Amino acid sequence: MSRFFTSRYAGLTPYTPGEQPNRMEYVKLNTNESPFPPSKAAEEYTAKFTRALNLYPDPECRELAAAVAKMCGVEAKNILLTNGSDEILNFAFMAFCDEDHPAAFADLTYGFYPVFAQLNRIPYEEIPLDENFCIRVEDYLGIGKTIFIANPNAPTGICLERSKIEQILQANPNNVVVVDEAYVDFGGESCIPLIGRYSNLLVTQTFSKSRSMAGARLGFGIACEELIRDLNTIKYSTNPYNINSLTMAAALGTLSDPDYTQRNCRTVMENRAYTAGELQKMGFEVLPSSTNFVFAKHAKISGAELYQRLKENGVLIRHFTKERIAEYNRITIGTREQMDTLLETIRRLYGGIL
Ligand code: PMP
């Protein structure tokens, strides 16, 4: 820390992203990216745009907001595009939380929520998931806090029914409920259809997972017009040009090719069922997943050791040190070939004890 770093941030523990090795010597199953390249249309649209890079992008992202709204069955005024969904989550902490509206989220959920709370000096409560890693709806009723729910949740992969989220929305009419649907396209139940009925609901989604665009950084929020206006106040007070022209072009290309996205999601779900089945045959406990990853542990292999030995053998998965989940690993679902490499490596390393 330099002697110039303000005391406001000196105590901040930043979010630790998954490893992004420069050389692709690993089978990379650690950051929930899509194993498939972006749609060909994304490449084509982007190539056409490079000549206009001398100009600033459209700060309102009108064409893209209209296309995303169409996909979601809402109007463009209900959409805000951001630099990854991380950005809209931060905007939501800034816009809808303070001393009088503390944040609340699960004890085991997306690790960026406590960082955003600390960054913005917002008090927060971590509400323990039950013994099956599920949200206990009763814990969220009438709590007078701004609620953040990753649904499906990460790193567990478990989803919560929309009717339960609706109960939480109804029981907290004076607080915003943010539903982070980063993984919803792999089998979750979206809350977008509730937007018209609940003025306290903000749903966030991303192009990073199902749409193969993690490198382009694009996320979006869907909410009633008033919430979107508040979030725009934050956006225009931080970075009006938060979406660059190339990302916008790539996203328009991706949205012109929905069959490709759907096909990839289906393949990931098939590979997930296959991987979970094979891991279970080896004695792993695998949580039911509605995402593009599985969360698994083995009674005879420590979580940290499995992570380390797979890494030494060219397979990168994600291990978290939090006590409650230290025996688990989060494994991104890749291509069938990648999953076979993972499974064969585990068999080779642990064949004797499985
Ligand atoms: N929410 C959850 C639950 C996530 O796991 C991630 C990915 N790290 C994000 C949001 C943010 O993704 P992005 O900024 O790439 O849209």
Side-chain angles (χ1 to χ4, degrees):
M1 195 192 315
S2 82
R3 62 197 164 90
F4 306 105
F5 197 38
T6 163
S7 58
R8 170 181 282 267
Y9 298 121
L12 194 61
T13 310
Y15 176 71
T16 314
E19 297 156 88
Q20 293 291 355
N22 276 338
R23 288 174 297 124
M24 282 311 288
E25 73 257 64
Y26 292 107
V27 174
K28 191 171 178 307
L29 305 176
N30 68 331
T31 47
N32 300 342
E33 290 137 325
S34 170
F36 307 111
S39 157
K40 278 264 174 277
E43 262 175 65
E44 287 157 17
Y45 277 53
T46 313
K48 275 191 253 161
F49 239 89
T50 49
R51 280 198 61 76
L53 282 181
N54 54 318
L55 303 178
Y56 283 109
D58 170 14
E60 291 176 55
C61 311
R62 278 163 293 192
E63 201 182 346
L64 182 55
V68 170
K70 190 163 169 226
M71 172 182 76
C72 296
V74 299
E75 292 183 47
K77 64 182 184 202
N78 301 116
I79 298 290
L80 177 69
L81 293 148
T82 54
N83 193 301
S85 53
D86 281 340
E87 188 177 46
I88 195 160
L89 291 167
N90 187 33
F91 286 176
F93 275 90
M94 293 170 79
F96 306 125
C97 302
D98 59 19
E99 288 284 333
D100 301 323
H101 306 83
F105 38 82
D107 62 337
L108 301 172
T109 189
Y110 186 30
F112 225 141
Y113 300 160
V115 179
F116 286 138
Q118 286 160 27
L119 175 71
N120 295 300
R121 311 196 131 196
I122 293 159
Y124 62 94
E125 181 190 5
E126 295 183 294
I127 303 177
L129 296 175
D130 72 13
E131 64 284 4
N132 299 315
F133 296 123
C134 293
I135 278 183
R136 260 188 300 253
V137 172
E138 314 84 83
D139 293 346
Y140 290 79
L141 302 182
I143 58 174
K145 294 182 175 159
T146 302
I147 296 169
F148 291 79
I149 300 176
N151 191 35
N153 196 13
T156 62
I158 293 175
C159 70
L160 186 66
E161 298 99 296
R162 185 163 57 213
S163 57
K164 295 206 170 151
I165 296 208
E166 200 166 358
Q167 271 177 270
I168 294 172
L169 283 160
Q170 282 170 358
N172 295 283
N174 298 322
N175 285 95
V176 172
V177 177
V178 180
V179 183
D180 172 354
E181 296 187 348
Y183 299 102
V184 76
D185 298 320
F186 303 101
E189 200 178 12
S190 177
C191 283
I192 294 176
L194 303 181
I195 291 295
R197 273 188 282 143
Y198 295 96
S199 59
N200 58 334
L201 170 62
L202 168 65
V203 176
T204 64
Q205 292 197 5
T206 181
F207 277 64
S208 296
K209 318 290 178 185
S210 57
R211 300 183 182 87
S212 297
M213 279 183 45
R217 312 302 302 124
L218 184 65
F220 57 100
I222 313 104
C224 70
E225 197 178 351
E226 290 73 21
L227 291 192
I228 294 295
R229 216 177 285 138
D230 296 341
L231 292 162
N232 262 315
T233 300
I234 306 288
K235 159 179 155 149
Y236 283 94
S237 306
T238 49
N239 186 8
Y241 303 112
N242 60 340
I243 313 296
N244 71 72
S245 312
L246 296 180
T247 293
M248 268 194 259
L252 285 167
T254 298
L255 293 179
S256 76
D257 190 8
D259 293 350
Y260 179 73
T261 298
Q262 273 170 24
R263 218 168 34 243
N264 288 342
C265 288
R266 270 201 304 275
T267 306
V268 165
M269 288 189 274
E270 283 161 17
N271 293 351
R272 180 179 72 206
Y274 167 73
T275 307
E278 292 300 309
L279 287 171
Q280 279 161 344
K281 280 184 210 162
M282 288 189 251
F284 280 88
E285 183 191 315
V286 185
L287 299 190
S289 170
S290 301
T291 61
N292 65 342
F293 56 85
V294 289
F295 203 49
K297 73 168 179 183
H298 197 289
K300 297 185 194 155
I301 309 170
S302 100
E305 185 206 301
L306 179 67
Y307 159 79
Q308 195 52 44
R309 290 198 70 191
L310 282 176
K311 185 173 176 183
E312 284 157 14
N313 284 272
V315 180
L316 210 48
I317 58 175
R318 187 88 195 254
H319 182 252
F320 298 92
T321 50
K322 241 186 177 177
E323 198 184 334
R324 236 185 127 183
I325 51 172
E327 293 312 319
Y328 286 82
N329 277 290
R330 193 191 69 189
I331 304 168
T332 302
I333 301 298
T335 62
R336 176 69 184 248
E337 294 68 36
Q338 289 177 312
M339 302 326 289
D340 276 331
T341 305
L342 164 88
L343 295 164
E344 278 155 24
T345 310
I346 296 175
R347 282 187 203 108
R348 179 161 55 77
L349 293 174
Y350 292 101
I353 62 166
L354 291 174

